[in-house]
Amino acid sequence: MELCDLSAHELSLLLRQRRVSAVEVLESCLQRISQVDGRPGSLEPGAPQPEDAERVHAFITLTAERARAQAETVDRRLAAGEPVGLLAGIPFTVKDIFCVKGTPSTAGSRILANFVAPYTATPVARLEAAGALMLGKVNLDEFTYGSSNESSAFRPTPRNPWKLDRVPGGSSGGSTASVAAGEAPLSLGTDTAGSIRQPAAFCGVVGVKPTYGRVSRYGLIAFGSSLDCPGPIARNVVDAALMLQVIAGPDPHDSTAANLPVPDYLAALEEGVRGLRIGLSPDYFRITFPDAVRGEYDQQPIPGEIEAAVRRAADILADLGAEIVENVPMPNTRYGIPAYFVISRVEAASNLHRYDGVKYGYRTPQPVQDLHEMYRKTRNEGFGLQPKLRILMGMYVSAAQYSAQYYQRALRVRTLIRRDFEQAFDPQGKYRLHALLTPTTPTTAFPVGAVYGDSVLMQYADQLTVPANHAGIPGISIPAGLDHEGLPIGIQFLGPDFSEALLLRIARAFERATEEASWRRARPEVLQRLVA
Amino acid sequence: MTDYEAIIGLETHIQLNTQTKIFCACKADSWYDPPNTNICPVCTGLPGVLPVLNRAAVEKAALLALAMHAEINEVSYFDRKNYFYPDLPKGYQISQYDRPLASGGYMEVPMPATPERPAYVRRVNIIKLHIEEDAGKTKNVNGRRWIDFNRCGVPLVEMVTGPDLRSADEAAQYLIRLRQLLRWLGISEADMEKGHLRCDANVSIRPKGATYFNPKTEIKNVNSIENVRDAIQHEIERQIREVEAGHAIEAWTLEWDEDAGVLRKMRSKETEADYRYFKEPDLLPLRIDAAWKAAILAQRVELPLERRQRFIEAYGLPEYDAEILTGERALSDYFEQAVQAYGGDPKKVSNYLMNDILRMLNESGKSAAELRLTPAYLAEILKLADAGTINTSTAKALLQRVEESGRSPREIVEAEGLAKVSDAEAIRAVCHEVITENPNEVATYRKGKVTLIAWFVGQVMKKMRGKADPTLARQILEELLKGE
């Protein structure tokens, strides 16, 4: 066990007791990165190299010097007995969808590869202000469009530390891979349809999608502006709570950030689940998808071992005193993906308009006759497949003659999905749930290259996570076991608006109850090799 | 020959005079600043930025809506208007679409009498009034495009009239009244030359009495009220010529070439562009709750046409005076304060304003509120003249003296001995001097040219630096000139 394998709150204690220095913590992380990460993602990776398949490839940009300067400042303050922030000396990585002053902020796209941000995103600024050390920017699906990290323009793309021929999930795959591999105890991700929770489940770590507006979006390069949520990724629930404590809160730069005080997420963390009502829904034990040829919905149960993990978790919580409520209907879950297809793409197409080669980022080097040719060539060469698909669909469904049929209708569906949750959580209602317990994903991590290219199938990887984004409610994914291949299985708790403290508390109760479980002792493949 | 009438609607863009831009803290007015100096990540559309609404822009727009008798909507929304243009850095303009700040409304435009017809009032309906952000400026120089982002994010109100105007003169009067109103409300500098007030005109014609609409043309890029009038007049005449020649009017977009005084075709209007409007997810719905609305209503002021009417009724001013005095809010405030301080005939105050004070304002470029000759000082001068302490010419001279020195009129009169001299002996002595010094004129007078008396009075006044009681001087002079 190295320093870099310790959790943020353990490191924090050692730092405050002055048993380790921030520089030592940093060096430990940097050493781990040099051991497991391999070459960073780049636009011109050249031919694949044999060791590429053996490495994690979480990083696009390593900012070791920036982190070292921050670590030295923390050590000086600690030595002088001066007060330090909540995360003083704790390294973190940042999904490269956030602008950080002076760093390339690429969104995983060729079109922003040369863009160096002149300002810092609010959540990153808050982490740094709390003394955390920014290690670097990690890879993601291009503009966050994907669930596997394979769409990034920066290659090699990240691999799953648990099994290197598997994807880490996405779009915050670089973030979850870096945390799972011990490169950093914390990472800042974003979740638009499950982009924190799905890769957290795939990589066996904790991921929190806060209530929409709980964490400022200022500096987050937008995908679906009404759905995007920055959130913490950590190796355990306490660390996730610590990180959320730092990044949450109102922001004068984001008018959609909630103007509500931030509760103390740590205060009630250990209070257990006695008396809480936790629901299970049959609509989360299957995926439902349209058959394009027949125009009808098909259903498929999720794998038995994933359902079993959820039921096992329910039993454990019941043993701890929670009341498990079965058969909570969430009938509109099946429309989550189709509605998301429409809403997110309308917003995405508009959000991508600014990448036009005029002001910053990529501009075609080819000669052009006029402005429109410059636009066309720049965007054709600068965007990868996923942004192009989203622009095409977004433009189509927001066109004046189709908008009512698609966009306006999708917005109504969104309201219905929100209503499912309101009914489940209504304190005067039939179910009176404090939280809903569901699988995070319909599968465990799939093989690299197996699903990519089939954009519809890839989307259904988000079916169990996207309803929370539609509804704006918070969700947390935590590890709950391993499948027959030894791949992590994630379970998800969903709660009403601003119930993060309660969700963290439930997750923490499960985490404590399973501390001694055998699956907790399993280590990712990449770390096992290190020991060997 | 058919008699035609013109159908005109105006689309105006009004730049609000807020300190900062509508969605960021950059300085809004860049008229005197070099390009790209009042910019930030937000108004240049960098990745990841978000807009934050400037409440002052909402309040100013709401004041305009109230002045237009429009309904302020309790909830309105911002929308994205998507299109590509290099000076539109986000690739969309944040505007309002189907749920704007205000609905309905109208403006009454008084049309002054002409030799051909009496005065009348034209009511113009407002069919659209919403808030939006301005785009930047593009300049083409030697085949290169130069972009200035300073103007990006400057708050605008877009206000569109119904097809209610019937002549180029009515269109010009509408703009004159709108400009007056905007300045009066203090919400825009409303200077067309500086682009604070921009106007596009939609023009069509039809036989008088018809109720249908013919295809219209749109005139763009006109930068003064005079030019709007000229351009519309030219276009009406062109359309009549075309129709008389049996040609159809096509829905062109035209541009006014000010130097040549002609309209040029910019483009044929193809199908309407699809801007793919959708609600701006980065801003909350704009809610004007009861408290905010009350605060806005509290800022409401009497409007120029209301005040003009009140001046006529309450002070008995002629329409001509009332019109001029209410041309500007500061001037009308000045008038009213002076009337109150004076307590005498308001018309007397009006006369001073219309003749002397307006000239003073024109020469100095000051507004009435900036004069050192305050309404109270003007009233004091009027009272001194009424009381016979000073004569009229001293009164007029005092206006300038007070303005230059900032001292009170009474102080100046006392310090410089400007009070009227009514001492017959003092005047008689000066009259003697004048007669002795000007034997030729005395001879001429005595030969019968009695009108020369005014010249003699003038000489006396000159010697006494205007202080003499002119009536007394005349009596004494006549007596002395006759007596020998």
Side-chain angles (χ1 to χ4, degrees):
Chain A
M1 200 79 139
E2 306 288 329
L3 277 180
C4 63
D5 293 310
L6 296 181
S7 68
H9 68 274
E10 287 166 331
L11 288 171
S12 202
L13 206 63
L14 294 176
L15 283 159
R16 275 155 219 265
Q17 292 167 343
R18 308 218 48 228
R19 288 163 64 192
V20 298
S21 71
V23 170
E24 285 169 328
V25 173
L26 172 66
E27 293 303 337
S28 175
C29 289
L30 291 174
Q31 199 200 343
R32 173 63 54 84
I33 292 165
S34 73
Q35 287 168 325
V36 304
D37 208 58
R39 53 190 184 130
S42 87
L43 292 181
E44 311 297 343
Q49 293 164 19
E51 66 271 24
D52 283 350
E54 312 292 311
R55 298 287 184 269
V56 176
H57 306 291
F59 281 83
I60 293 177
T61 306
L62 188 67
T63 53
E65 289 319 305
R66 182 188 184 107
R68 191 167 283 120
Q70 291 165 335
E72 283 164 1
T73 305
V74 169
D75 284 337
R76 245 193 329 272
R77 295 184 73 92
L78 285 168
E82 291 169 22
V84 291
L86 198 56
L87 291 175
I90 309 299
F92 70 103
T93 61
V94 177
K95 185 180 186 179
D96 205 10
I97 198 71
F98 289 96
C99 287
V100 177
K101 191 173 178 173
T103 71
S105 299
T106 69
S109 179
R110 181 179 294 274
I111 211 157
L112 279 177
N114 66 5
F115 175 67
V116 175
Y119 77 102
T120 298
T122 299
V124 179
R126 287 184 177 166
L127 287 165
E128 292 197 324
L133 320 176
M134 198 194 80
L135 273 181
K137 311 290 284 293
V138 288
N139 216 333
L140 67 156
D141 282 292
E142 184 174 1
F143 280 102
T144 80
Y145 305 156
S147 305
S148 71
N149 260 250
E150 294 164 291
S151 65
S152 176
F154 288 77
R155 304 183 163 268
T157 56
R159 286 170 178 267
N160 193 319
W162 285 84
K163 222 168 175 304
L164 288 158
D165 63 350
R166 302 299 168 119
V167 299
S171 62
S172 307
S175 288
T176 55
S178 70
V179 171
E183 296 176 329
L186 302 175
S187 186
L188 180 64
T190 63
D191 192 312
T192 306
S195 277
I196 286 175
R197 290 162 290 160
Q198 184 257 17
F202 279 17
C203 290
V205 297
V206 174
V208 180
K209 174 236 175 272
T211 310
Y212 183 80
R214 181 69 291 185
V215 179
S216 167
R217 293 183 294 121
Y218 186 69
L220 157 60
I221 298 172
F223 167 11
S225 308
S226 72
L227 301 154
D228 295 342
C229 294
I233 290 159
R235 283 196 293 267
N236 62 52
V237 175
V238 180
D239 284 7
L242 266 173
M243 183 165 173
L244 184 60
Q245 194 75 53
V246 169
I247 61 177
D251 179 9
H253 291 298
D254 178 0
S255 29
T256 64
N259 249 328
L260 290 171
V262 179
D264 185 340
Y265 293 121
L266 295 158
L269 209 51
E270 307 293 344
E271 282 180 15
V273 293
R274 186 160 300 281
L276 296 183
R277 290 170 63 85
I278 295 171
L280 295 173
S281 170
D283 295 305
Y284 277 85
F285 289 124
R286 58 185 173 229
I287 60 164
T288 311
F289 48 91
D291 180 301
V293 179
R294 289 181 298 123
E296 289 167 22
Y297 279 91
D298 275 339
Q299 275 188 11
Q300 199 176 300
I302 60 162
E305 52 188 348
I306 294 181
E307 176 163 353
V310 175
R311 299 218 173 259
R312 206 161 51 235
D315 291 345
I316 290 169
L317 293 167
D319 287 346
L320 295 172
E323 196 180 332
I324 302 300
V325 182
E326 296 268 1
N327 289 319
V328 179
M330 301 294 286
N332 293 295
T333 307
R334 60 161 62 182
Y335 305 120
I337 292 296
Y340 171 74
F341 246 77
V342 173
I343 294 168
S344 69
R345 278 144 183 78
V346 169
E347 294 180 3
S350 174
N351 285 331
L352 291 176
H353 270 176
R354 69 187 63 193
Y355 310 112
D356 58 5
V358 172
K359 309 162 290 280
Y360 47 74
Y362 180 83
R363 181 189 288 181
T364 181
Q366 298 185 54
V368 292
Q369 294 299 311
D370 59 18
L371 180 67
H372 285 91
E373 198 181 351
M374 192 281 280
Y375 282 156
R376 276 198 304 277
K377 287 194 164 151
T378 294
R379 288 166 67 84
N380 184 41
E381 295 158 19
F383 286 134
L385 175 65
Q386 296 303 326
K388 284 177 189 165
L389 287 172
R390 277 158 179 77
I391 291 166
L392 283 173
M393 180 150 169
M395 296 294 263
Y396 183 84
V397 297
S398 62
Q401 68 269 43
Y402 300 123
S403 174
Q405 215 174 322
Y406 290 106
Y407 184 61
Q408 302 303 331
R409 205 155 155 215
L411 291 177
R412 288 200 297 278
V413 170
R414 190 173 181 178
T415 309
L416 293 178
I417 292 172
R418 166 113 187 148
R419 196 169 302 159
D420 281 354
F421 286 110
E422 283 171 351
Q423 285 169 356
F425 297 139
D426 180 355
Q428 267 80 52
K430 184 172 173 195
Y431 302 101
R432 303 182 306 282
L433 299 185
H434 292 95
L436 191 68
L437 166 60
T438 79
T440 309
T441 55
T443 66
T444 52
F446 41 80
V448 171
V451 182
Y452 187 67
D454 185 339
S455 140
V456 174
L457 195 61
M458 185 72 89
Q459 287 301 319
Y460 279 83
D462 294 334
Q463 184 162 57
L464 309 180
T465 43
V466 74
N469 299 80
H470 280 305
I473 60 164
I476 180 170
S477 175
I478 56 171
L482 300 170
D483 73 357
H484 64 283
E485 291 183 284
L487 289 168
I489 296 171
I491 57 169
Q492 172 177 240
F493 294 100
L494 302 172
D497 293 344
F498 303 104
S499 64
E500 286 86 352
L502 192 68
L503 296 182
L504 288 162
R505 183 176 136 196
I506 298 169
R508 174 62 188 147
F510 174 79
E511 191 176 72
R512 260 174 63 184
T514 54
E515 252 165 19
E516 302 305 320
S518 58
W519 58 266
R520 288 260 183 217
R521 286 193 291 279
R523 284 285 164 268
E525 180 185 15
V526 73
L527 299 185
Q528 287 173 33
R529 289 188 188 183
L530 218 51
V531 179
Chain B
M1 194 177 123
T2 325
D3 217 359
Y4 293 96
E5 70 175 348
I7 310 294
I8 302 159
L10 298 182
E11 180 179 321
T12 48
H13 282 91
I14 297 151
Q15 188 174 312
L16 299 174
N17 59 359
T18 51
Q19 289 292 305
T20 58
K21 294 185 182 182
I22 185 165
F23 297 126
C24 64
C26 289
K27 190 172 137 214
D29 179 22
S30 293
W31 186 256
Y32 296 105
D33 297 331
N36 296 313
T37 50
N38 294 318
I39 58 172
C40 74
V42 174
C43 57
T44 51
L46 256 50
V49 296
L50 298 169
V52 176
L53 181 61
N54 178 350
R55 286 169 65 99
V58 176
E59 289 177 11
K60 284 177 188 273
L63 282 174
L64 178 59
L66 289 171
M68 291 292 146
H69 318 92
E71 177 103 10
I72 307 242
N73 293 319
E74 199 181 313
V75 183
S76 65
Y77 292 86
F78 288 95
D79 295 83
R80 289 192 187 175
K81 180 180 181 178
N82 296 288
Y83 65 95
F84 285 97
Y85 205 70
D87 61 22
L88 187 72
K90 297 189 294 298
Y92 55 84
Q93 179 191 27
I94 303 179
S95 181
Q96 294 190 298
Y97 183 52
D98 53 354
R99 300 280 302 275
L101 176 75
S103 317
Y106 63 88
M107 181 156 92
E108 296 204 313
V109 183
M111 295 298 298
T114 66
E116 294 83 43
R117 51 152 185 79
Y120 65 96
V121 173
R122 170 68 69 201
R123 179 183 276 223
V124 183
N125 290 301
I126 303 301
I127 58 170
K128 199 162 151 189
L129 194 163
H130 71 239
I131 315 173
E132 62 187 22
E133 60 176 336
D134 209 344
K137 289 181 187 167
T138 301
K139 224 162 83 177
N140 291 302
V141 183
N142 302 328
R144 292 181 75 92
R145 254 174 230 268
W146 294 87
I147 304 172
D148 178 3
F149 291 117
N150 277 352
R151 207 178 63 184
C152 288
V154 169
L156 296 179
V157 168
E158 180 178 321
M159 196 162 86
V160 182
T161 74
D164 301 331
L165 296 155
R166 291 289 174 269
S167 69
D169 278 341
E170 288 188 9
Q173 274 302 316
Y174 169 82
L175 288 173
I176 288 168
R177 288 295 175 189
L178 176 61
R179 182 178 62 186
Q180 175 195 29
L181 184 72
L182 294 170
R183 291 175 178 168
W184 186 278
L185 295 171
I187 61 174
S188 172
E189 305 312 310
D191 197 336
M192 279 191 86
E193 284 75 8
K194 289 187 183 172
H196 298 142
L197 177 58
R198 286 165 245 163
C199 178
D200 300 333
N202 287 301
V203 180
S204 66
I205 58 163
R206 66 183 178 194
K208 236 190 175 106
T211 51
Y212 57 85
F213 292 115
N214 282 316
K216 60 180 195 253
T217 56
E218 185 177 5
I219 307 171
K220 282 192 171 295
N221 299 346
V222 202
N223 65 357
S224 76
I225 294 177
E226 264 321 297
N227 286 339
V228 171
R229 190 203 315 261
D230 288 352
I232 292 174
Q233 192 55 43
H234 274 75
E235 179 55 11
I236 293 169
E237 287 164 10
R238 183 191 72 87
Q239 288 191 15
I240 292 175
R241 278 197 310 274
E242 293 288 333
V243 171
E244 288 289 307
H247 302 143
I249 301 298
E250 289 176 66
W252 290 344
T253 300
L254 303 163
E255 188 176 34
W256 176 247
D257 181 333
E258 186 185 337
D259 299 326
V262 293
L263 287 161
R264 296 186 200 288
K265 182 177 161 185
M266 285 170 80
R267 56 176 179 260
S268 305
K269 262 220 151 143
E270 306 111 38
T271 47
E272 194 103 330
D274 183 356
Y275 293 113
R276 299 187 158 78
Y277 281 99
F278 70 98
K279 300 261 172 303
E280 168 57 278
D282 290 334
L283 290 166
L284 300 175
L286 172 54
R287 277 174 210 286
I288 301 189
D289 59 18
W292 194 7
K293 192 166 179 181
I296 294 167
L297 284 170
Q299 296 176 45
R300 209 150 72 141
V301 293
E302 186 180 34
L303 300 181
L305 292 179
E306 294 164 4
R307 187 167 284 190
R308 172 175 174 264
Q309 196 53 34
R310 187 167 57 81
F311 279 8
I312 294 169
E313 283 160 16
Y315 300 127
L317 289 188
E319 202 173 300
Y320 178 76
D321 290 35
E323 173 66 31
I324 289 179
L325 292 179
T326 55
E328 240 186 89
R329 185 161 148 201
L331 184 66
S332 67
D333 286 345
Y334 188 103
F335 167 75
E336 211 151 24
Q337 285 159 17
V339 166
Q340 268 152 26
Y342 172 49
D345 180 6
K347 176 64 179 140
K348 239 175 175 172
V349 179
S350 171
N351 289 345
Y352 268 86
L353 281 174
M354 308 262 295
N355 298 322
D356 307 278
I357 307 237
L358 272 181
R359 178 162 26 84
M360 216 182 253
L361 293 175
N362 286 339
E363 283 166 5
S364 66
K366 282 184 184 174
S367 111
E370 294 164 334
L371 287 178
R372 296 166 84 176
L373 172 66
T374 61
Y377 285 165
L378 174 64
E380 200 174 300
I381 293 171
L382 285 164
K383 284 184 198 163
L384 286 169
D386 285 356
T389 313
I390 54 173
N391 59 38
T392 312
S393 60
T394 306
K396 301 250 164 171
L398 261 180
L399 297 173
Q400 201 57 48
R401 300 294 311 278
V402 173
E403 178 58 24
E404 281 160 10
S405 66
R407 289 158 67 203
S408 87
R410 197 173 293 281
E411 222 181 292
I412 298 175
V413 167
E414 279 166 14
E416 302 189 10
L418 296 180
K420 197 155 75 175
V421 176
S422 304
D423 175 347
E425 285 318 301
I427 296 173
R428 185 175 295 272
V430 178
C431 290
H432 268 298
E433 267 176 47
V434 169
I435 286 168
T436 317
E437 285 164 14
N438 299 287
N440 294 338
E441 284 74 8
V442 173
T444 313
Y445 179 88
R446 286 185 176 151
K447 277 180 197 147
K449 190 153 191 233
V450 289
T451 51
L452 215 50
I453 190 72
W455 182 83
F456 281 104
V457 173
Q459 294 304 304
V460 172
M461 293 301 276
K462 200 166 152 189
K463 276 181 179 282
M464 299 188 73
R465 299 199 345 263
K467 293 181 295 181
D469 182 335
T471 320
L472 197 54
R474 188 189 173 101
Q475 275 175 20
I476 293 170
L477 278 167
E478 277 172 350
E479 179 193 321
L480 290 175
L481 286 165
K482 221 182 281 168
E484 285 169 41

